[in-house]
Amino acid sequence: MASFFDRFNSKQLTIVIICITACFLMMGACTMVLGNEDTNTQKEKKLVFDDDDDGSDEGGRKYKFVDKEDREEGTKDDSVVVNKALEGDPYKELDELIGLDAVKGEVRSLANYVKVQKARKEKGLKTTSLNYHLVFTGSPGTGKTTVARIVARIYKDLGILKKGHLVETDRSGLIGQYVGQTAPRVNQMCDSALGGVLFIDEAYALTQSDASTDYGKEAVATLLKRMEDDRDRLVVIVAGYTNEMRKFIDTNPGLESRFNRYIHFPDYSADDLYKIFRQYLRKNQYTITKEGAQLVQEHLEHKVATKDRNFGNARYVRNLFEKTIQAQANRIAKAGRVNDQELVEITFTDIKKAIGS
């Protein structure tokens, strides 16, 4: 190294050192710019909610950045779920739902109305203004989220939406704890739902608080603005208990003008709940004894007869099924070696254990 520098006088050596230093500084600057550009691009396209400690909006919910493919496959936490568009025939999915005959009729009526209006427009005939936003009313576990996914796919097939996916959220996913957090959060939800449906469960909770520090009105105002600005790319479905949802819509004239189509989801009958339980058995390759099936029917009839407004309907049946297969697993594990029939059979004892747990 010494012989290399001996070739230059002091003035030349100074120039060489300056040039080398400048080259290193330029390389460092380029690295920082390119790195920041990649990070910004990633943040712009791939922001999702997270409850970990990496990255945050100070004092509020945490955020993280994931691959775009991961977000499209379905990202969820306590307050946000992103569902891909349903595959296959959405009308077949609708028909296969147990019960909900009135709901199915409403959805098909809406689809037919859209089809006819589009056909009239193509022929140069007058058409009425179409409003695709919906209000789903009813108790928990009555299929509102499932039907929302089907509606999103139907809208895609009709050419209303480009993607047909569904983004589920609620109050906690839209409202911040501090000033300046709510509007960005609502905008983020709307951005995620562009080309699809934003489904807000228990939407009435946005405006129920009277606290001076509550930002529900800001959330509603931001949502209404996005519904107007992105009216050709965003559909919003709000859902919740019937009376509460009507009061919610009445709180703001903008809500009244944009949400004028209601679909009510009635509670399931005991017979429908039993069919849902049998459907869980069939889809998961289980059978049930005659005595076990009778106990399920009797139990569901009792639950429906004594239910309150918080009864979970199909959600309760899903929980009952999960407890049942857990009880079966515990029973056959104690028995040791079992045959093929015992691996798939649900008994009276399993049901009784599930009911009591």
Side-chain angles (χ1 to χ4, degrees):
M1 182 62 69
S3 61
F4 172 78
F5 286 110
D6 288 342
R7 299 177 184 178
F8 305 96
N9 58 37
S10 58
K11 184 176 181 180
Q12 291 172 326
L13 184 60
T14 301
I15 295 173
V16 169
I17 293 173
I18 291 173
C19 290
I20 293 173
T21 303
C23 287
F24 278 110
L25 290 173
M26 290 178 64
M27 291 174 61
C30 289
T31 301
M32 291 177 64
V33 170
L34 291 173
N36 287 338
E37 184 177 34
D38 290 341
T39 303
N40 290 336
T41 301
Q42 189 180 47
K43 288 183 178 182
E44 180 181 346
K45 296 180 179 179
K46 305 171 185 178
L47 177 64
V48 295
F49 291 119
D50 181 33
D51 283 328
D52 296 333
D53 291 329
D54 51 336
S56 69
D57 56 339
E58 186 176 352
R61 289 189 63 80
K62 310 301 182 191
Y63 297 85
K64 69 178 179 180
F65 299 98
V66 300
D67 291 337
K68 183 180 179 184
E69 291 76 16
D70 292 338
R71 183 162 67 94
E72 289 176 348
E73 285 294 324
T75 302
K76 72 177 182 178
D77 68 3
D78 292 340
S79 60
V80 184
V81 181
V82 181
N83 298 292
K84 292 194 305 180
L86 284 173
E87 298 180 357
D89 183 356
Y91 297 100
K92 185 172 182 289
E93 291 273 352
L94 185 67
D95 291 338
E96 290 178 349
L97 294 177
I98 293 173
L100 302 177
D101 291 340
V103 173
K104 295 175 187 178
E106 288 280 357
V107 172
R108 283 194 171 274
S109 177
L110 173 61
N112 292 337
Y113 178 73
V114 173
K115 288 177 183 178
V116 171
Q117 292 301 310
K118 290 187 69 175
R120 287 177 59 86
K121 184 177 181 179
E122 291 172 359
K123 298 295 184 180
L125 299 172
K126 289 184 178 180
T127 60
T128 57
S129 177
L130 294 178
N131 190 339
Y132 304 115
H133 309 296
L134 299 169
V135 180
F136 286 178
T137 63
S139 302
T142 49
K144 295 186 291 294
T145 305
T146 299
V147 173
R149 290 194 69 190
I150 293 172
V151 168
R153 173 56 196 277
I154 289 175
Y155 278 170
K156 178 185 177 183
D157 288 358
L158 292 173
I160 297 168
L161 297 172
K162 184 177 181 180
K163 297 180 181 178
H165 65 297
L166 182 80
V167 176
E168 303 172 45
T169 191
D170 55 19
R171 175 189 166 90
S172 62
L174 295 171
I175 295 182
Q177 298 177 12
Y178 302 96
V179 175
Q181 292 181 340
T182 296
R185 205 175 277 195
V186 174
N187 283 322
Q188 177 62 34
M189 289 296 100
C190 291
D191 288 342
S192 298
L194 288 178
V197 169
L198 177 62
F199 179 81
I200 306 175
D201 197 16
E202 298 180 349
Y204 52 83
L206 293 175
T207 57
Q208 277 189 333
S209 176
D210 294 326
S212 60
T213 56
D214 187 74
Y215 305 108
K217 291 183 179 179
E218 180 185 0
V220 171
T222 306
L223 177 64
L224 289 173
K225 185 177 186 304
R226 288 301 301 268
M227 291 170 69
E228 177 61 27
D229 294 345
D230 297 301
R231 56 185 175 275
D232 296 326
R233 299 193 295 164
L234 176 67
V235 169
V236 178
I237 298 178
V238 291
Y241 288 111
T242 303
N243 292 336
E244 283 85 343
M245 288 306 298
R246 293 192 180 277
K247 292 177 182 178
F248 167 67
I249 298 299
D250 291 341
T251 61
N252 189 304
L255 292 173
E256 285 186 287
S257 64
R258 288 170 177 81
F259 292 102
N260 52 27
R261 185 181 290 269
Y262 290 71
I263 297 181
H264 179 66
F265 288 68
D267 285 359
Y268 286 106
S269 66
D271 185 54
D272 284 338
L273 292 177
Y274 176 68
K275 289 178 181 177
I276 292 172
F277 187 86
R278 295 299 296 246
Q279 187 178 69
Y280 277 122
L281 291 173
R282 184 173 62 257
K283 287 185 175 181
N284 291 278
Q285 296 182 315
Y286 285 95
T287 62
I288 189 169
T289 64
K290 183 178 180 181
E291 296 77 14
Q294 183 176 351
L295 181 57
V296 172
Q297 286 179 299
E298 292 173 354
H299 175 67
L300 292 175
E301 287 171 0
H302 172 72
K303 293 297 292 186
V304 169
T306 59
K307 69 183 177 183
D308 58 20
R309 64 177 263 146
N310 296 316
F311 178 61
N313 286 281
R315 195 173 302 162
Y316 176 82
V317 174
R318 182 184 64 205
N319 291 336
L320 177 62
F321 170 75
E322 291 173 354
K323 290 178 180 179
T324 297
I325 61 174
Q326 182 65 59
Q328 186 238 27
N330 291 334
R331 174 177 57 81
I332 64 177
K334 291 179 181 178
R337 181 176 296 180
V338 295
N339 57 41
D340 292 347
Q341 179 179 347
E342 290 172 316
L343 280 173
V344 301
E345 187 175 69
I346 300 297
T347 67
F348 178 91
T349 302
D350 300 328
I351 300 298
K352 189 172 182 179
K353 185 73 174 178
I355 293 172
S357 61

